[in-house]
Amino acid sequence: MKKIVITGAAGFLGSHLAQELIDRGNKVIGIDNFSTGHEENVMELLRHENYTFLKFDVTDPMVLELDELFAIEEIFHLASPASPKFYQEAPFETIAANTIGTKNMLDLAYREKASFLYTSTSEAYGDPEIHPQPETYRGNVNTWGPRACYDESKRLGEVYCYEYFQRYQIQAKVVRLFNTYSAGLRNDDGRVISNFVTQAISGEDITVYGDGSQTRSFCYVDDMVSALLLTMKSEQATGQIINLGNPTEYTILEVANLVKRLNSSNSKITFLPLPCDDPKVRRPMIDKAKRLIKWEPKTSLEEGLQKTIASYTEKRMEVQEKVVQS
Ligand code: UDP
């Protein structure tokens, strides 16, 4: 049994990862300050004897003094707001989580001789001029815009990993996550899948920003969790940056129509202005992941959306029942 730390443990990805690690017989210490994570995402896990949750901010240097963080073997550092809506509401917190928070967790990895995985982002490529994006592409990020707090701080987090790997031989692995979604994603995070599914279920207009010709590639959470575990296990991934995501690309308008069809929804599609610096295209090259960690995603967008729609519909009915009972 390994003792494993997950930061950002109350986020949708962190909570799915924690569940999988526990199911595989590990002891998990989850850390989150609930800035964007949800208490509801850890409630189920708290019932498990091998799960410990700490409400703590990873940017606080006292994090290194926590008793629970001694004798750990692995750190998955996920903590950071990730939805444009949330990181733009909290730019300074976002910058701190990815820089100071990453440094604190690397210091922990150094002290504990622990393996370290940092979740960077496809946003490191900004509005890409090369398509699809290989890890060698250095990106096209605007430092003077609303996405910069996330994009540039994630990039600086990568730099911290590089320096700790080079200077202190930390077993650091950097993964750049492309758009990921799940059945358990909180409904108000403003990201496209949660917005479209919520809108389609409730019969509201589906809000496409711009003309919907911009593209994204969507990875279902189960595929992403298995990629994170394989990366952590792989010696070859140490000191590497690896793209993780589903390489099947859709326009946002196609996603709107797919959600509408799968949900047999009467919602209308409406068009709203495109946000500033919204990347026009995004699709990962995943040859490196295939080679180093022998991974590729298995879940199609249609299949993942069906699960997501079912889960959102169930939650909505639970809420409606509670309202009727009260
Ligand atoms: N988007 C949209 N309608 C929405 C939310 C998002 O058309 O209600 C678009 C957004 O402009 C972007 C894409 O969907 O082009 C993905 O947005 P998201 O916020 O999920 O993440 P991003 O990939 O931009 O970080």
Side-chain angles (χ1 to χ4, degrees):
M1 179 191 284
K2 279 189 182 163
K3 194 172 162 191
I4 299 171
V5 173
I6 301 175
T7 74
F12 83 92
L13 186 53
S15 51
H16 279 94
L17 177 63
Q19 185 66 62
E20 186 62 29
L21 284 168
I22 286 171
D23 290 348
R24 294 185 185 200
N26 299 289
K27 190 169 166 46
V28 173
I29 316 291
I31 306 178
D32 203 296
N33 65 355
F34 290 134
S35 72
T36 59
H38 243 1
E39 240 172 297
E40 162 192 332
N41 287 346
V42 292
M43 294 308 271
E44 192 74 10
L45 288 158
L46 279 174
R47 293 199 198 118
H48 206 287
E49 57 176 358
N50 285 334
Y51 186 72
T52 304
F53 181 76
L54 307 170
K55 183 175 180 297
F56 214 86
D57 190 328
V58 289
T59 66
D60 182 339
M62 292 306 285
V63 71
L64 289 158
E65 307 297 323
L66 295 170
D67 287 345
E68 292 85 349
L69 299 191
F70 285 84
I72 53 146
E73 288 173 70
E74 293 177 357
I75 304 167
F76 289 87
H77 178 42
L78 276 55
S80 167
S83 154
K85 177 181 164 195
F86 289 145
Y87 67 65
Q88 289 172 23
E89 276 167 14
F92 301 114
E93 249 182 53
T94 303
I95 293 167
N98 288 313
T99 56
I100 303 165
T102 301
K103 183 179 183 306
N104 285 342
M105 289 301 107
L106 283 161
D107 284 335
L108 180 65
Y110 180 79
R111 185 188 77 196
E112 298 295 326
K113 298 187 175 53
S115 295
F116 183 86
L117 182 144
Y118 173 58
T119 51
S120 184
T121 172
S122 56
E123 292 265 330
Y125 302 119
D127 189 9
E129 291 156 315
I130 289 186
H131 192 63
Q133 295 79 55
E135 290 85 350
T136 47
Y137 176 47
R138 293 183 186 176
N140 176 36
V141 174
N142 178 13
T143 60
W144 202 256
R147 287 189 172 244
C149 60
Y150 184 66
D151 302 10
E152 289 296 351
S153 66
K154 281 286 184 192
R155 287 169 66 103
L156 189 51
E158 292 188 4
V159 180
Y160 268 117
C161 293
Y162 173 80
E163 293 298 345
Y164 273 68
F165 169 68
Q166 290 293 335
R167 288 164 193 262
Y168 311 126
Q169 290 74 52
I170 295 295
Q171 303 293 296
K173 301 138 197 276
V174 174
V175 284
R176 291 189 180 140
L177 308 192
F178 285 64
N179 296 62
T180 303
Y181 66 102
S182 88
L185 194 59
R186 69 186 267 184
N187 287 3
D188 61 348
D189 81 344
R191 276 190 278 200
V192 68
I193 300 288
S194 52
N195 274 9
F196 284 3
V197 171
T198 310
Q199 290 161 344
I201 290 173
S202 55
E204 290 165 24
D205 288 358
I206 296 179
T207 54
V208 169
Y209 301 157
D211 61 6
S213 63
Q214 71 273 34
T215 69
R216 295 292 187 273
S217 312
F218 296 95
C219 188
Y220 190 62
V221 67
D222 293 352
D223 285 327
M224 189 55 82
V225 166
S226 77
L228 296 179
L229 296 175
L230 286 166
T231 307
M232 183 59 100
K233 224 168 72 180
S234 162
E235 274 180 32
Q236 279 187 296
T238 300
Q240 297 289 333
I241 294 181
I242 305 173
N243 283 343
L244 297 179
N246 190 318
T248 312
E249 185 181 10
Y250 290 84
T251 68
I252 294 303
L253 189 55
E254 283 170 338
V255 178
N257 280 310
L258 183 58
V259 170
K260 202 167 132 67
R261 175 168 67 76
L262 293 177
N263 198 54
S264 311
S265 170
N266 295 324
S267 292
K268 283 204 316 276
I269 294 178
T270 54
F271 294 88
L272 298 177
L274 189 68
C276 175
D277 289 339
D278 201 285
K280 286 182 270 309
V281 288
R282 187 183 290 157
R283 172 153 80 100
M285 275 185 71
I286 61 164
D287 305 54
K288 196 168 175 184
K290 284 186 189 164
R291 188 161 39 85
L292 293 187
I293 63 166
K294 311 276 179 282
W295 171 86
E296 63 184 307
K298 296 193 180 89
T299 315
S300 68
L301 182 59
E302 181 154 344
E303 196 188 331
L305 277 177
Q306 271 161 346
K307 291 185 191 174
T308 307
I309 290 167
S311 144
Y312 275 47
T313 308
E314 197 182 313
K315 269 197 193 155
R316 193 175 143 86
M317 275 157 66
E318 275 170 21
V319 172
Q320 281 170 344
E321 270 168 30
K322 274 189 198 149
V323 172
V324 172
Q325 280 163 13
S326 61

